[in-house]
């Protein structure tokens, strides 16, 4: 099955808490972004039509990576929200000859531990009738009990980093959305344009994943069970976890 990859990497990673964007943090064998793309390029022989990496306008790091010379990889400049950055990536796919009904896999530049097995499961889901109709995303059932916190005002006088419980959210049927998320080029473009229009209205906000934009137009994407190792590097502890996962995979490959 032919597909394109869009890798949004234009975020500033403010929650990570250091100067450099988190996608350029070092891991064994390469930076976070290089690991994020590796599983796609390993499978590149047949089905991959091309990769578009979406960069911040001030990015000077990407061009220094060997990946920048890869024949299937091109770059474009992102926007103020993830949705705007992905939309810029979709424009670049179209400019490279992508057809409206072709699949685009959107994968966070900050997820360095995607496995070949997860990628295979996602692509297999796209061949099912539900996948064909609305696309699919990797996701994980929520294991912890989930609490909603009260607003900060309800915590008046308390320690700012502590929160007060407002409610327990039943976790039945709740999944955490991971990436890649796969949708057809035309459908995802229409959904993100719609989402950004709504976000521009007073009180509106941009969607935090692609599936949310598809759902808003009535789509029902497939949830494909992913791996708990497919971590998004958001905090320094996530980087340590990712390093451990990659080291143990490299170790296993050496012993195979
Ligand atoms: O901010 P968050 O961790 O959810 O970002 C997820 C992905 O979206 C990251 O790879 C980040 O670089 C990207 N992003 C982007 N453009 C933005 C904001 C986030 O490409 N304006």
């Amino acid at each position: 099955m032919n597909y394109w990859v869009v890798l949004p990497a234009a975020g500033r990673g403010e929650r990570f808490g250091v100067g450099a964007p988190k996608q350029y943090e070092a891991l064994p064998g390469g930076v976070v972004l290089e690991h994020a793309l590796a599983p796609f390029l390993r499978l590149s022989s047949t089905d991959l039509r091309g990769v578009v990496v979406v960069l911040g306008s001030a990015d000077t790091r990407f061009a220094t990576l060997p990946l920048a010379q890869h024949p299937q990889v091109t770059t474009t400049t992102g926007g103020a929200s993830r949705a705007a950055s992905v939309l810029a990536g979709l424009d670049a796919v179209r400019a490279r000859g992508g057809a409206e009904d072709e699949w685009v896999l959107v994968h966070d530049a900050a997820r360095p531990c995607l496995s070949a097995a997860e990628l295979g499961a996602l692509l297999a889901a796209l061949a099912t009738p539900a996948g064909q109709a609305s696309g699919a995303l990797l996701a994980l059932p929520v294991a912890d009990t989930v609490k909603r916190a009260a607003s900060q005002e309800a915590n008046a006088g308390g320690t700012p980093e502590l929160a007060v419980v407002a409610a327990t959210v039943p976790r039945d049927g709740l999944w955490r959305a991971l990436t890649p998320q796969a949708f057809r080029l035309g459908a995802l473009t229409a959904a993100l344009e719609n989402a950004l229009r709504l976000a521009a209205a007073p009180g509106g906000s941009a969607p935090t994943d692609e599936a949310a934009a598809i759902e808003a137009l009535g789509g029902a994407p497939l949830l494909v069970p992913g791996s708990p190792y497919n971590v998004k590097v958001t905090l320094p502890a996530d980087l340590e976890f990712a390093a451990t996962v990659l080291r143990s995979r490299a170790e296993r490959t050496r012993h195979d």
Side-chain angles (χ1 to χ4, degrees):
M1 180 181 298
N2 285 347
Y3 62 91
W4 296 85
V5 172
V6 168
L7 198 85
R12 287 195 300 272
E14 277 153 1
R15 284 170 290 176
F16 197 79
V18 292
K22 59 191 179 179
Q23 58 269 28
Y24 295 115
E25 287 290 326
L27 282 169
V31 300
V32 172
L33 185 151
E34 289 175 297
H35 281 292
L37 264 188
F40 302 101
L41 297 175
R42 257 182 238 127
L43 285 184
S44 71
S45 51
T46 50
D47 295 345
L48 182 69
R49 293 264 283 129
V51 174
V52 174
V53 182
V54 187
L55 300 173
S57 54
D59 189 298
T60 52
R61 284 292 302 279
F62 186 80
T64 68
L65 301 176
L67 203 54
Q69 311 305 324
H70 193 286
Q72 278 180 299
V73 176
T74 56
T75 64
T76 191
T77 304
S81 64
R82 177 201 175 91
S85 293
V86 171
L87 209 42
L90 298 182
D91 282 345
V93 166
R94 207 171 275 108
R96 285 175 63 179
E100 301 302 314
D101 64 348
E102 280 190 291
W103 293 110
V104 180
L105 273 54
V106 181
H107 184 51
D108 289 335
R111 285 191 196 270
C113 299
L114 170 69
S115 68
E118 286 176 287
L119 185 50
L122 181 71
L123 293 171
L126 295 179
T128 66
Q132 286 280 314
S134 292
L137 62 144
L138 291 182
L140 267 180
V142 170
D144 299 309
T145 298
V146 178
K147 307 288 181 188
R148 173 169 292 114
S151 66
Q152 275 302 314
E153 295 85 76
N155 193 26
T159 318
E161 65 270 20
L162 300 183
V164 172
V165 172
T168 299
V169 181
R171 70 182 174 207
D172 280 1
L174 288 188
W175 293 60
R176 289 162 46 210
L178 314 176
T179 73
Q181 305 200 349
F183 304 102
R184 295 187 193 276
L185 175 62
L188 185 55
T189 304
L192 290 174
E193 283 173 352
N194 175 63
L196 286 178
R197 242 188 333 267
L198 294 176
S205 58
T208 50
D209 76 346
E210 290 61 54
I214 293 282
E215 294 153 35
L217 287 187
L222 270 181
L223 293 164
V224 180
S227 161
Y229 297 128
N230 185 1
V231 59
K232 180 160 84 167
V233 176
T234 305
L235 302 170
D238 302 323
L239 194 67
E240 281 176 46
F241 179 70
T244 306
V245 172
L246 293 170
R247 247 185 243 116
S248 93
R249 276 191 198 153
E251 193 87 345
R252 235 176 297 141
T253 316
R254 260 199 300 280
H255 287 106
D256 281 348

